[in-house]
Amino acid sequence: MDPKLIEILICPITAKRLRLSKDKKLLVTIDEKLAYPIIDGIPRLSPEDVIDDFKKRK
């Protein structure tokens, strides 16, 4: 994903900034509580796609 795009994305649920995960397959909130998958280069930011409690799953 384009780093400039990541800089402007926010979580639609919490309005917190997002960052790219280490494996570059997820966008994760800065507090690491929620994550969104990136499928075929497209971030899925819908509440239906959210991975809740991401920090606990690491």
Side-chain angles (χ1 to χ4, degrees), residues 43-54:
R44 306 296 170 118
L45 297 177
S46 100
E48 292 84 27
D49 293 322
V50 72
I51 300 167
D52 200 10
D53 290 329
F54 174 76

Side-chain angles (χ1 to χ4, degrees), residues 1-2 5 9 24-25 27 37-44:
M1 285 196 64
D2 183 345
L5 176 62
L9 290 176
K24 299 184 183 196
K25 294 181 181 180
L27 286 172
I38 300 171
I39 301 170
D40 295 327
I42 301 168
R44 306 296 170 118

Side-chain angles (χ1 to χ4, degrees), residues 26-43:
L26 298 169
L27 286 172
V28 183
T29 55
I30 56 171
D31 61 5
E32 295 189 339
K33 290 185 179 178
L34 301 176
Y36 297 89
I38 300 171
I39 301 170
D40 295 327
I42 301 168

Side-chain angles (χ1 to χ4, degrees), residues 8-33:
I8 63 171
L9 290 176
I10 62 167
C11 174
I13 296 172
T14 65
K16 293 184 180 187
R17 290 186 55 214
L18 296 169
R19 65 165 182 80
L20 196 57
S21 65
K22 290 178 184 175
D23 64 5
K24 299 184 183 196
K25 294 181 181 180
L26 298 169
L27 286 172
V28 183
T29 55
I30 56 171
D31 61 5
E32 295 189 339
K33 290 185 179 178

